[in-house]
Amino acid sequence: MKNKLYQHFLRNKQQGHKSFAVLVDPDKVDNPKIEQLVSLAIDAKVDYLFVGGSLLISNHQDECIQKIKSLCNIPVILFPGSPSQVSKYADALLYLSLISGRNPELLIGQHVVSAPFVRKSGLEIMPTGYMVIDGGAPTTVSYISNATPIPSDKNEIALCTAMAGEMLGMKLIYMDSGSGAKRPIPESMIEMVASHIEAPLIIGGGISDPEKAYRNCKAGADVIVVGNAIEKDESLIKEMSDAVHSMMISV
Ligand code: 1GP
């Protein structure tokens, strides 16, 4: 099985290099918008483009990914809300199991049903322990997943969940307070989880300024994901990316 991008994640972690990923919601971008976003992403040295969302309304994802791929070499990684979002045009798939919840469909059920076509897709598969952390108000992911998020002041639950995920063989841990979360994940929780796992740690949800992105990296995040804030103000791409990458120098 392919694991080129995963090796890249691992190498960056070992070398203390932090990465910045922009989350692209195919529902919110048309071709001119994609062109503009990609040009800003190239300029800002964005490491990855995550594509997907908990709920996609349009049927535009394949086209969106093909357009991105025609414009740049930034790896496109699927962040799917359901198996219908698996696209062979991407480079890799975050193969998410919602380990913070107790909804069997999102832990293993949908994976079983979609396994043959996921394997056939030829994508690099990245087994990812996905943890939803309470972000102060219901988000699309907390509603759609029908699973209780981890309370944001229960660092020990987050820690034990991440440890269990890693021991079950998850190669990445993604902690997310949900798109547009009122409250992003507290640094104390990131720090506790990061200091007890070896898997690269992805952090997203409600990160709206470069300082928070930087502090998350300092707390131990390996990859910072931002969607909403950049949809509102594209100029943030460069500031966020610079903040994340500045950690490389100080490590
Ligand atoms: C959501 O982690 C991502 O699943 C990004 O969240 O859109 O709030 O940046 P935002």
Side-chain angles (χ1 to χ4, degrees):
M1 270 208 258
K2 295 183 189 172
N3 74 350
K4 195 174 132 205
L5 270 174
Y6 176 63
Q7 288 305 328
H8 197 245
F9 272 64
L10 271 187
R11 227 180 6 259
N12 279 343
K13 183 175 177 79
Q14 283 153 7
Q15 296 172 354
H17 290 186
K18 308 295 181 177
S19 303
F20 182 57
V22 172
L23 176 62
V24 181
D25 179 341
D27 280 349
K28 296 188 182 151
V29 287
D30 54 15
N31 278 348
K33 186 101 185 151
I34 294 172
E35 281 169 20
Q36 193 185 346
L37 195 68
V38 167
S39 146
L40 290 169
I42 294 171
D43 185 48
K45 299 191 168 49
V46 166
D47 298 280
Y48 310 107
L49 293 170
F50 284 10
V51 176
S54 305
L55 183 68
L56 291 193
I57 296 166
S58 68
N59 194 13
H60 167 63
Q61 186 177 262
D62 279 352
E63 201 188 322
C64 169
I65 295 170
Q66 284 174 288
K67 180 75 184 165
I68 294 172
K69 296 300 297 175
S70 73
L71 295 166
C72 68
N73 294 320
I74 302 172
V76 173
I77 301 180
L78 294 171
F79 174 49
S82 74
S84 65
Q85 292 177 29
V86 175
S87 168
K88 65 178 180 186
Y89 300 108
D91 297 294
L93 166 71
L94 293 177
Y95 200 48
L96 305 170
S97 178
L98 183 63
I99 57 173
S100 61
R102 300 295 177 267
N103 177 344
E105 277 305 304
L106 300 183
L107 273 165
I108 183 67
Q110 295 192 352
H111 310 71
V112 172
V113 174
S114 59
F117 89 87
V118 168
R119 175 156 286 181
K120 225 178 175 174
S121 69
L123 292 164
E124 176 175 341
I125 310 296
M126 304 168 109
T128 304
Y130 186 50
M131 297 167 51
V132 178
I133 313 299
D134 186 72
T139 56
T140 308
V141 66
S142 66
Y143 178 80
I144 296 281
S145 65
N146 196 20
T148 311
I150 295 177
S152 60
D153 60 346
K154 298 291 182 195
N155 292 359
E156 66 286 0
I157 299 181
L159 168 63
C160 295
T161 307
M163 280 169 60
E166 186 172 53
M167 289 189 287
L168 279 164
M170 307 287 173
K171 303 286 189 207
L172 301 168
I173 297 292
Y174 188 158
M175 289 166 63
D176 192 356
S177 52
S179 199
K182 277 192 179 167
R183 259 193 341 242
I185 300 172
E187 285 123 59
S188 65
M189 182 180 273
I190 297 171
E191 198 169 344
M192 191 178 231
V193 171
S195 57
H196 288 86
I197 62 168
E198 284 172 19
L201 181 60
I202 307 172
I203 299 291
I207 301 170
S208 57
D209 59 81
E211 292 74 28
K212 175 61 177 155
Y214 181 84
R215 289 198 306 273
N216 284 353
C217 291
K218 211 164 174 213
D222 296 295
V223 182
I224 298 293
V225 186
V226 179
N228 236 267
I230 287 169
E231 281 163 21
K232 289 185 189 138
D233 176 5
E234 285 180 335
S235 70
L236 272 178
I237 291 191
K238 179 113 177 75
E239 289 176 48
M240 292 270 194
S241 188
D242 286 351
V244 168
H245 293 139
S246 70
M247 269 298 292
M248 292 185 193
I249 299 155
S250 51
V251 165

